[in-house]
Amino acid sequence: MPKAVAILGAAALPVGKWQTPSDSPTQLLEHEVLASLVVDATRDGGVERTDIGSLAFSLPRPYTQQKYFGTFMANYLRLPCGACVSETMGNGMTAGLAFEAACNEIRLGRTKVALALGINFETATSAAEHMMRSMRTTGDVDFHVPFGFTPISWYAMDAARYIHEFKSSREELASVAVKNRRHASLNPLAQFRKPITLEEVLSQAPIVEPLGLYEVPPRSDGAVCLVLADEDVARASGRPYVRIRGRGFYHEGAHQINEIPNDMIALLAARTAGRSAYEEAGVTPEDIDLAEVYAPCTIIEVLVSEALGFAPRGKGAAMAKAGETTLGGRIPICTSGGLQSRGHPAYVTPFYSFVEVMDQLRNRAGQRQVQNARLAVTSAELGNYNAALVHVFEAVQ
């Protein structure tokens, strides 16, 4: 049987603007920032450097000056590894796949302790350069890129379709942004912490109709280190930990948006991966206490909540407006503040979801603590959920 894997410790940089301009006389270097988080995370997990057998990095942004980042970091940290040192790339799922790589080294018995870690610095890079890179990496060069089809455009089309098909409204979708900002106001890691009202959300300039400024993610910098361990190691530590109870993955065989007509707001990949994760965990959506989902825009949180079984099809937006997904509601979603308010350093965003779930399940989330939280779900996506990675986590005291 594969070995059970636990999250034993974590450390994270508050999401914000950290990257220094290339012409600045003093540079904040990614490897120095990440190294300090490794020290903090291993202390949090109670492991020694000699216990670590694998390093699984999310690939840093192309603007990072140090190339071949993972092997450089192994040297910088003076961490010889007998299992594997790797860097993973998968668009918004990058950190999720790095997390999987670290877990697999433990499941295969190659090491008892592994780090899943990464850094995403981008905010001092010009918007024009960043968007050109984004379109070339997330779009089909024959279909999307020539027309300047940006990622937010996908989500805006989802929103327009959802409002049309289910007689929803901009107000219902915008309520997600208000809820997420309230959660972010309680999260010291969040990029934007000032509460906002529904009126303020609706009055913002449109980014791509019908989504306004507060309904889309900011550009963000961030960094995270997670300590993963064989459950025997976690149990012997005597510390509370979080067990990975179920996992599911599905790729539709489509690149971002498929040129073959399909139901664009069904999120088939999230539905399929979610069913697999629930089945492996032996639970149902009704058993879950909170969810931390990858949702760049408000509409995607709504669609994921439906795909993962927390709301009937077409009812997710109304459920959010009714307060069911807020702290104290039936199923709190994105207690961290979500991607619109906690922030979205894309290549490490799923790591922040794991940090939030770990804090919640270890009862150390402070004012945003979900009472008696025992089971949590996370999701990560590639583009417009053409692929999804879903985990079910369980608290172990």
Side-chain angles (χ1 to χ4, degrees):
M1 291 289 293
K3 295 178 179 293
V5 179
I7 307 178
L8 194 53
L13 183 72
V15 181
K17 293 186 176 183
W18 296 96
Q19 187 186 38
T20 45
S22 58
D23 59 354
S24 175
T26 303
Q27 295 287 319
L28 183 65
L29 298 175
E30 288 97 325
H31 60 273
E32 293 178 352
V33 173
L34 193 54
S36 69
L37 294 179
V38 171
V39 173
D40 291 344
T42 52
R43 184 184 299 118
D44 183 46
V47 300
E48 301 294 331
R49 59 186 299 114
T50 52
D51 298 329
I52 301 166
S54 181
L55 304 173
F57 293 86
S58 60
L59 190 75
R61 284 293 193 182
Y63 326 120
T64 302
Q65 294 187 32
Q66 179 62 56
K67 306 305 178 186
Y68 224 9
F69 191 78
T71 188
F72 171 84
M73 283 298 298
N75 169 75
Y76 188 74
L77 295 166
R78 297 294 190 268
L79 273 179
C81 294
C84 190
V85 174
S86 63
E87 292 179 59
T88 300
M89 170 58 183
N91 200 24
M93 200 185 287
T94 296
L97 296 176
F99 181 82
E100 285 277 282
C103 289
N104 288 340
E105 293 301 304
I106 295 169
R107 291 183 181 120
L108 291 169
R110 293 171 176 164
T111 182
K112 291 184 176 294
V113 178
L115 302 185
L117 68 170
I119 189 162
N120 181 113
F121 274 12
E122 64 177 58
T123 58
T125 302
S126 75
E129 179 181 355
H130 181 70
M131 185 51 65
M132 287 301 294
R133 287 183 180 273
S134 293
M135 286 192 292
R136 290 300 297 270
T137 55
T138 61
D140 180 330
V141 295
D142 294 325
F143 174 43
H144 304 137
V145 177
F147 302 100
F149 198 34
T150 68
I152 300 302
S153 300
W154 315 330
Y155 305 128
M157 289 196 301
D158 292 340
R161 183 67 190 177
Y162 187 88
I163 291 170
H164 169 76
E165 188 164 328
F166 297 114
K167 306 301 184 286
S168 182
S169 66
R170 173 98 189 281
E171 288 77 8
E172 284 187 339
L173 297 182
S175 69
V176 174
V178 178
K179 179 267 298 181
N180 281 343
R181 185 62 68 88
R182 179 198 166 212
H183 291 174
S185 72
L186 307 174
N187 184 2
L189 294 179
Q191 185 170 2
F192 297 109
R193 300 182 61 191
K194 180 182 178 182
I196 53 178
T197 65
L198 182 62
E199 291 71 24
E200 287 174 314
V201 176
L202 295 173
S203 67
Q204 297 305 305
I207 301 303
V208 182
E209 286 283 359
L211 300 175
L213 180 64
Y214 292 165
E215 298 160 275
V216 303
R219 290 180 62 194
S220 312
D221 299 328
V224 176
C225 178
L226 296 166
V227 178
L228 307 182
D230 181 314
E231 191 173 13
D232 292 340
V233 171
R235 192 179 296 114
S237 74
R239 298 165 181 254
Y241 62 91
V242 174
R243 176 194 294 128
I244 302 171
R245 185 158 161 175
R247 175 261 190 201
F249 174 88
Y250 188 77
H251 195 301
E252 292 184 11
H255 184 62
Q256 320 304 336
I257 288 181
N258 202 334
E259 70 276 15
I260 300 172
N262 66 351
D263 187 339
M264 62 188 288
I265 55 174
L267 299 197
L268 172 64
R271 290 178 183 276
T272 306
R275 283 196 300 268
S276 296
Y278 292 142
E279 182 177 350
E280 184 174 289
V283 300
T284 68
E286 290 73 25
D287 298 317
I288 303 301
D289 297 305
L290 70 142
E292 192 70 21
V293 301
Y294 188 108
C297 301
T298 50
I299 178 60
I300 298 302
E301 182 174 318
V302 167
L303 296 178
V304 177
S305 72
E306 296 176 6
L308 294 180
F310 302 128
R313 183 89 192 272
K315 301 297 183 182
M319 181 181 80
K321 192 171 189 299
E324 294 186 47
T325 61
T326 193
L327 283 166
R330 179 176 61 83
I331 173 69
I333 296 178
C334 291
T335 55
S336 70
L339 277 60
Q340 300 98 53
S341 290
R342 183 201 62 211
H344 184 31
Y347 287 3
V348 296
T349 288
F351 282 152
Y352 280 93
S353 297
F354 301 139
V355 169
E356 179 66 16
V357 161
M358 190 194 74
D359 283 344
Q360 289 284 354
L361 296 183
R362 290 175 63 178
N363 196 35
R364 63 181 197 182
Q367 291 180 282
R368 67 186 190 285
Q369 181 64 51
V370 175
Q371 297 304 308
N372 304 313
R374 188 180 68 87
L375 291 170
V377 162
T378 64
S379 72
E381 69 152 334
L382 284 178
N384 206 37
Y385 274 87
N386 66 311
L389 176 64
V390 177
H391 287 93
V392 177
F393 295 93
E394 179 180 25
V396 181
Q397 302 298 325

